[in-house]
Amino acid sequence: MKKDLLKRLLISATVGVVITLTLFVGAFGSVQASSTTNVSDSKQQLVDIVLRPKSQKTLHKFVYDSVNPNSSSYRKFVTPGTFSKRFSQSPSKIKALKNYLHKHHLKAQTYKGNLIMVVKGSTKNIEKAFKVKLVNVNNGEVKFQKATSNPKLPKKLSKVVYTIFGLSNYSPFSSNKVAYQPSSLHTITPHSATSGASKKYSPIRFVNRYKLQSLYDKGATGRSKTIGIISFANFHPNDVYRYWDDEGINVKSNRLSIYRTNGYKGSWDGYDESTIDVEQAGAIAPDSNIRTYIAKPNIIGMVNSIAAAVGQNVADTLSLSWGQSEAQVAYEMKQGITPKKYNQIMNLMFEQAAAQGISVFTATGDNGAYDGITTGLTTGLSVDTPSNSPYVTAVGGTTLPKTYTVNKKKVSITKERAWGVEFLYPNYKHQRFFGNLDMLQSFFAGSGGGFSRYNPVPSYQKGVSGIGTYNAIKLWQFKLGQPVLLKHAVKQSGKKSGRNLPDISANADPNTGYSMFITPKNNRNSKGQWLITGGTSIVAPQMAAASVLLSDFNTTGRLGFWNPQIYKFAKRSDSPFKPLDSRTNNTNLYYTGQPGKLYNQATGLGTVDFTALNKAFNE
């Protein structure tokens, strides 16, 4: 949600630099009185039924066996059809459910894999079939639809159903990308773009820094592979082709395709995110195909795009740069907007992807350890979903060496570290912000990471030094829901449970970021602009592209679920990962490195040496 949530910034000279950021009470808060009206009987609804797997235990075992070299199932990934037969409900049970829905004049079809059934029909028929009442809610800030009770099906049919959702609709997802604000915008002219300025911020920086060149030298280009991009906004294909052309990449004219989930025509809100994702993925894997799944930015859109991508089984990797904080999810669950089993639904979809050998990469967010702070619903530490899923590779951000002027003094970042802007705080006393949201995003800019409250520690993280323990530097405390910058930072250490994220990291700081080319959303004939941008959403598509390069050397054509494999590699003496373990000058605004340990919640296992990782994957 992009709202002006910050009311004021107070700087108190009497107690040192104490900064209080006062947040507006979040959407769905109690400041405004809510009103409800009945939803029109004729309004067309779209509802998802999640079908229960035959055996969650059997599916879980296969997912892990598929990436275990000691298992007979190693890299014997299944097709969606085989997945249906082995793990999903029987055709007869699915048919019985469809017949029931058809009797209520509802259309129903399942995505391949038979985990998600999409139901369409009028409000009147939906209410009868699921025994609910739908109402429109208006609390003065936002409007949304919700059901007044939990949906129900006949007992015999409900046994095959895991959950039903979509009766409530609300658009919660935001992109994990950070663009320079006008005050510090790096605008590159088309002329200089072909010479030096844009090249400094070219994806070649990713290639060189993380040792991908050896893969190109051996012939890896992503040929015959497809990268799937899950997004919620349109983009101009011509922008993308222009970008690749400027990078000197000769690509086929038909490498891009778009799937519009549920027939969604798309909006342009967040089109820069879609543009960045496609440009970066296509630049790193120059001969790959790019297939973008565009849906409404709500739960139905998210789940159905993933279900479509996995069901089509065309994409070898998936990149997802959109999400919301666990704190926001928790709040929306209480309001009846988000299904209580949302976390489990996402895990189930990612398990199907893993069973089919599809590697999934997600951005961990750009508010440091306080994911979702800009929504007004986070009053402390939080992590991003779906990056919290144990079945995705959660990608965090770093910043590269650079010298800054901070309060008229030179401050040098001498080595790659976790992305966090705490060293720039003295400048913010003098900076002019472009609105309250800009102010909030400036103070809380950094790589997402921490501990999930919804998922336990997965087996692949157990026994890895640094997992479940943490070092931190506390810069903020919350008073009455308001973040207050402490006069003196406080060092902390401790233990905590839950899935640790991120898993790996790479450069995401917009101050050391990457170029992009984009034209105005309403004027594709414009000359456009070259900009420098950043965010963990830059790294997710880069990693997805790198994965298809690595898989060029694999006889199965796919690497499958990364995490159980990379955590084993990290324990080796010749680990392909470089831990960023320093406790000083290395924070995501709370978590820091853990000296001598393989893992920390600021950068995960650290950065990747793709030459070494390629060797590890193909031994």
Side-chain angles (χ1 to χ4, degrees), residues 279-333:
E279 287 180 350
Q280 291 295 319
I284 298 299
D287 283 336
S288 65
N289 294 312
I290 310 291
R291 187 162 177 79
T292 306
Y293 295 81
I294 298 177
K296 286 185 177 181
N298 58 25
I299 304 299
I300 286 274
M302 172 73 85
V303 172
N304 287 6
S305 276
I306 296 171
V310 176
Q312 292 170 6
N313 203 32
V314 172
D316 301 283
T317 63
L318 287 178
S319 171
L320 213 167
S321 295
W322 299 68
Q324 58 185 146
S325 71
E326 284 191 344
Q328 184 178 353
V329 169
Y331 187 85
E332 290 167 3
M333 284 181 179

Side-chain angles (χ1 to χ4, degrees), residues 30 115 145 155 159 180 261 271 322 364 374 406 424 438 472 479 522 575-576:
S30 58
L115 289 179
Q145 175 185 292
K155 188 174 182 180
K159 291 180 180 179
Y180 270 90
T261 306
Y271 83 110
W322 299 68
T364 59
T374 57
V406 180
L424 295 176
D438 176 30
K479 294 182 178 180
N522 296 323
S575 169

Side-chain angles (χ1 to χ4, degrees), residues 16 70 81 151 158 211 235 268 299 307 315 349 457 459 467 520 541 562:
N70 298 319
S158 64
K211 300 184 179 179
F235 65 97
W268 291 90
I299 304 299
M349 295 310 305
V457 176
S459 58
I467 294 291
W562 266 42

Side-chain angles (χ1 to χ4, degrees), residues 165-282:
F165 71 97
L167 296 167
S168 300
N169 59 45
Y170 165 65
S171 299
F173 295 108
S174 60
S175 64
N176 290 314
K177 67 102 180 69
V178 177
Y180 270 90
Q181 299 297 333
S183 62
S184 57
L185 191 65
H186 286 59
T187 301
I188 305 172
T189 65
H191 175 71
S192 65
T194 58
S195 53
S198 74
K199 298 307 177 186
K200 179 180 179 181
Y201 299 97
S202 164
I204 293 298
R205 167 182 279 186
F206 179 88
V207 171
N208 292 338
R209 186 161 195 90
Y210 305 115
K211 300 184 179 179
L212 263 175
Q213 186 61 47
S214 65
L215 277 67
Y216 298 133
D217 293 342
K218 293 179 180 179
T221 61
R223 187 176 296 109
S224 301
K225 300 292 194 303
T226 298
I227 302 168
I229 305 291
I230 305 295
S231 196
F232 298 97
N234 292 323
F235 65 97
H236 295 310
N238 286 343
D239 290 354
V240 178
Y241 283 110
R242 167 66 188 276
Y243 183 79
W244 293 331
D245 182 64
D246 193 75
E247 286 295 317
I249 302 171
N250 294 318
V251 301
K252 53 190 177 183
S253 60
N254 63 343
R255 78 180 299 204
L256 293 180
S257 62
I258 297 175
Y259 178 86
R260 298 192 176 278
T261 306
N262 303 320
Y264 182 55
K265 294 182 179 180
S267 78
W268 291 90
D269 186 17
Y271 83 110
D272 48 348
E273 176 63 76
S274 297
T275 304
I276 292 167
D277 290 357
V278 178
E279 287 180 350
Q280 291 295 319

